[in-house]
Amino acid sequence: MLASIDRQTPIGCRDYAMILALARLGLRSSEVVTLELDDMDWVAGEIHVVGKNGQRNDLPLPADVGEAIADYLQKSRPRNASRRVFLRDKAPIRGFTGQCGLGSVIRRSLKRAGIDAPTKGTHQFRHGLASERLRGGASLGEIGEVLGHRHVRTTAIYAKVNLNALRTLALPWPGEAQ
């Protein structure tokens, strides 16, 4: 999907940065659209995210995400008094008023890439990141910390387990017919 985005256009540059933030940081759509310029700590390489219930979470800013956001800010973001990082492309030019705008970006990007995903929303990126980290050996606690979860039970919902892959690792049940 990311490869199908034309990053040479202002909208493509913005969409790429937003989708990359979703995919690599596991952010909620509301966290992406409400990012403010002051939430980017370029020196420390961190991004400050305000999640559910006003919970503040400081996350490391991966180089590729930082480069994509910086590229958008330097080359494509319209001059505007808004402190929001990502701005709408239609008048009035301002920050997104809700998560629906980012959902439209995702649906449009999936369609352009020819991806027939079972879900078309932004939440699939959080699930994907959690599952990827789990496969990479991260604990549910570590994944929950990245996703801003308070309880491991919540993280377990996101980190879908591939039962077919686990079956190949299972030992035969004692006394089971061979």
Side-chain angles (χ1 to χ4, degrees):
M1 182 169 81
L2 288 169
S4 73
I5 298 172
D6 182 0
R7 296 169 55 191
Q8 301 308 311
T9 68
I11 294 170
C13 190
R14 180 205 63 197
D15 292 356
Y16 181 84
M18 288 194 301
I19 294 171
L20 196 60
L22 285 171
R24 297 273 286 124
L25 296 169
L27 299 179
R28 295 174 180 91
S29 57
S30 61
E31 294 167 343
V32 172
V33 299
T34 59
L35 275 177
E36 303 257 330
L37 296 171
D38 298 327
D39 293 331
M40 310 301 300
D41 187 339
W42 301 105
V43 175
E46 291 183 340
I47 185 169
H48 309 293
V49 178
V50 179
K52 281 187 174 180
N53 303 321
Q55 178 184 343
R56 184 182 164 99
N57 199 7
D58 297 337
L59 299 172
L61 183 61
D64 57 346
V65 178
E67 289 168 9
I69 293 172
D71 191 47
Y72 167 69
L73 292 174
Q74 293 171 343
K75 299 176 185 171
S76 300
R77 185 181 183 274
R79 293 201 182 278
N80 192 287
S82 174
R83 299 300 296 163
R84 292 275 176 90
V85 171
F86 300 111
L87 302 178
R88 296 166 16 110
D89 57 304
K90 303 217 180 342
I93 304 298
R94 62 179 182 212
F96 290 86
T97 54
Q99 301 129 324
C100 294
L102 184 49
S104 295
V105 167
I106 298 301
R107 286 186 297 280
R108 185 174 62 238
S109 297
L110 287 168
K111 185 176 181 179
R112 181 184 50 251
I115 298 171
D116 186 23
T119 61
K120 309 284 189 217
T122 59
H123 231 61
Q124 64 189 325
F125 295 98
R126 285 175 66 79
H127 285 278
L129 180 69
S131 296
E132 180 183 314
R133 295 257 170 113
L134 186 64
R135 281 190 302 273
S139 71
L140 288 178
E142 292 167 332
I143 296 167
E145 195 172 318
V146 170
L147 297 179
H149 292 158
R150 292 185 192 165
H151 304 289
V152 174
R153 292 185 312 270
T154 307
T155 306
I157 295 167
Y158 282 80
K160 300 293 183 190
V161 177
N162 183 341
L163 292 178
N164 289 330
L166 286 177
R167 282 188 183 101
T168 65
L169 301 174
L171 295 173
W173 189 258
E176 186 177 321
Q178 303 265 337

